[in-house]
Amino acid sequence: MTTLKRILKEISLALRGKPDPRDLYVAARDLGVMHLNIKHFGYHLARQLEGKLQGVDCASEPQQHNLVSKATTQDDMESAWFAYWCKQLKIAPIYHRKLWEYAFLLQCLHDQGLLREGVKAMGFGCGEEPMASYFASHGMDVLVTDLDPVQVAGKGWAETQQHAKSIEMAFRADLVSREVFDAKVKHQFVDMNAIPNQPSNFDMCWSICAMEHLGNIELGLSFVENSLKVLKPGGIAIHTTEFNYLSDNDTRESGETVLFLRKHFEALAQRLAASGHELLGPDFSTGTGVLDDFIDVPPYGYETKGWLINDQTPHMRSKFPAHLKLSVAGYASTCFGLIVRKRKT
Ligand SMILES: C[S@@+](CC[C@H](N)C(=O)[O-])C[C@H]1O[C@@H](n2cnc3c(N)ncnc32)[C@H](O)[C@@H]1O
């Protein structure tokens, strides 16, 4: 019998046969110890594998990889493309899925030939991402958007440095000069659940870790479809979100954070295809590395923005456990990147 089953049996016995609160207390202590063990393993694994990340041969020029819609994997994080984009963003590579989201977006843009001067890009739910600064440094014109501060109050995004209340939140002095940034980047409040009608003149649009916060599964999927209306024909939308990869049916369907299932992405692919759009891929494999089997548990470190480790803060590396897969309200989740090509006519 597994330890968890034994604990559950003890709890049910305690509740039915002999309602002695001490039994429950002992069982709960065991759960606490298991929790601690998981955290210890996460830190240990990340430290053990750190050298592997440092040793990746980082190409001097970006390469073509033709990524499709996919989940975060250890293999990706040990790839030359991941190392390349971390270096470009001046972020030290660590096994953290947030960095995968950044690198995935940049690699997709490069694959699609959209990381270049004159490209017009619109971001949704941008928070304090470095993306707009990086795009501007390539001569791209960028519209950074986020939810109005009145609507965002109480949701925790502003408190955890994850809300773009002004254009300043998008400025990264180490990536772009102030002059270029001011010339290339604009800011607007946009509700992802009510994208205003505006000219469809963007070559690409993106969101990172935002469409799972729109209220329910259907609102998230509708957002992906609606985001296409800001694009020119043939434009590309790239959105990363939560993927509950161990379940077929049971998930968080509504609330502050929802978790998408494979069937939701498959349904989205069909809806998009019915309107002449294309979801590239999707590839649902979640990897075969040891970190692909490791599910991190709370508390997580990124609330303090600590995953943005740079040359000045190398000591922070050891403060983060492996964090590719994690428990969100008891469901195993990882990131999934969606790449959609709008129909050409
Ligand atoms: C987890 S944060 C991610 C921030 C940023 N994209 C990043 O990766 O660091 C979620 C973001 O979604 C935004 N958001 C939540 N609901 C939104 C809505 N209805 N419309 C626009 N943005 C929304 C929040 O304000 C916040 O910026």
Side-chain angles (χ1 to χ4, degrees):
M1 193 186 298
T2 65
T3 314
L4 189 59
K5 273 194 184 147
R6 180 179 61 74
I7 290 172
L8 290 174
K9 193 169 171 219
E10 279 173 20
I11 290 175
S12 76
L13 270 178
L15 288 174
R16 280 186 286 116
K18 41 182 176 84
D20 184 342
R22 281 171 303 182
D23 293 341
L24 269 179
Y25 182 59
V26 169
R29 271 206 318 247
D30 258 354
L31 280 175
V33 169
M34 286 194 279
H35 197 274
L36 205 59
N37 274 342
I38 291 170
K39 286 311 271 190
H40 280 316
F41 273 121
Y43 283 100
H44 189 65
L45 278 172
R47 272 198 298 271
Q48 258 195 344
L49 292 167
E50 193 183 301
K52 207 167 176 185
L53 273 191
Q54 307 310 315
V56 174
D57 222 355
C58 179
S60 55
E61 294 291 323
Q63 309 292 317
Q64 195 74 14
H65 288 286
N66 299 325
L67 292 187
V68 294
S69 307
K70 69 181 301 301
T72 310
T73 64
Q74 181 178 348
D75 227 22
D76 286 349
M77 308 212 61
E78 291 166 356
S79 69
W81 61 263
F82 179 75
Y84 179 83
W85 296 113
C86 284
K87 196 165 179 195
Q88 288 287 299
L89 292 175
K90 302 194 168 63
I91 299 172
I94 55 169
Y95 288 104
H96 197 297
R97 66 184 197 143
K98 176 64 95 179
L99 303 191
W100 178 89
E101 294 184 285
Y102 291 169
F104 175 81
L105 171 62
L106 292 172
Q107 182 60 43
C108 293
L109 279 187
H110 174 73
D111 287 344
Q112 300 298 329
L114 289 171
L115 201 55
R116 59 179 162 78
E117 180 143 19
V119 166
K120 288 169 75 70
M122 175 171 178
F124 295 94
C126 291
E128 295 191 20
E129 291 165 11
M131 291 306 153
S133 285
Y134 187 70
F135 293 161
S137 76
H138 279 258
M140 293 167 61
D141 294 290
V142 193
L143 177 61
V144 167
T145 75
D146 210 325
L147 196 57
D148 189 294
V150 176
Q151 286 174 273
V152 100
K155 293 186 191 266
W157 307 126
E159 295 78 0
T160 53
Q161 288 77 48
Q162 294 188 90
H163 176 249
K165 68 170 187 250
S166 77
I167 196 165
E168 287 314 305
M169 301 330 202
F171 178 57
R172 282 270 306 268
D174 57 341
L175 295 180
V176 68
S177 73
R178 184 79 229 189
E179 210 182 3
V180 171
F181 180 84
D182 287 345
K184 292 289 186 184
V185 182
K186 303 278 172 284
H187 177 274
Q188 191 182 319
F189 292 120
V190 170
D191 183 346
M192 293 162 70
N193 283 330
I195 301 172
N197 284 326
Q198 50 193 71
S200 311
N201 62 353
F202 289 93
D203 300 286
M204 67 86 53
C205 67
W206 87 92
S207 71
I208 295 177
C209 192
M211 59 177 270
E212 63 270 31
H213 302 301
L214 302 182
N216 60 47
I217 295 283
E218 179 48 35
L219 285 171
L221 299 182
S222 297
F223 160 72
V224 176
E225 291 176 309
N226 293 333
S227 72
L228 301 181
K229 76 181 183 184
V230 308
L231 297 179
K232 292 175 185 166
I236 295 284
I238 301 167
H239 302 295
T240 65
T241 189
E242 295 289 346
F243 174 34
N244 173 354
Y245 62 97
L246 285 186
S247 176
D248 290 332
N249 287 304
D250 183 24
T251 197
R252 276 189 125 192
E253 299 268 351
S254 62
E256 288 265 303
T257 306
V258 302
L259 305 174
F260 296 94
L261 299 168
R262 176 181 178 143
K263 69 173 182 184
H264 296 132
F265 295 140
E266 285 173 339
L268 177 67
Q270 282 180 8
R271 280 159 60 162
L272 290 165
S275 301
H277 313 303
E278 184 192 2
L279 180 73
L280 307 197
D283 172 358
F284 289 106
S285 57
T286 49
T288 53
V290 61
L291 298 186
D292 295 316
D293 291 334
F294 173 76
I295 301 168
D296 194 16
V297 290
Y300 307 125
Y302 59 82
E303 284 83 357
T304 57
K305 207 88 177 148
W307 39 266
L308 282 181
I309 299 165
N310 56 33
D311 294 344
Q312 276 74 53
T313 54
H315 59 284
M316 292 295 286
R317 275 178 195 284
S318 59
K319 297 215 183 311
F320 292 90
H323 189 73
L324 311 191
K325 274 70 180 184
L326 68 155
S327 165
V328 179
Y331 293 104
S333 191
T334 191
C335 294
F336 199 88
L338 298 162
I339 314 169
V340 184
R341 182 178 290 117
K342 183 172 174 170
R343 70 166 177 271
K344 296 216 164 99
T345 51

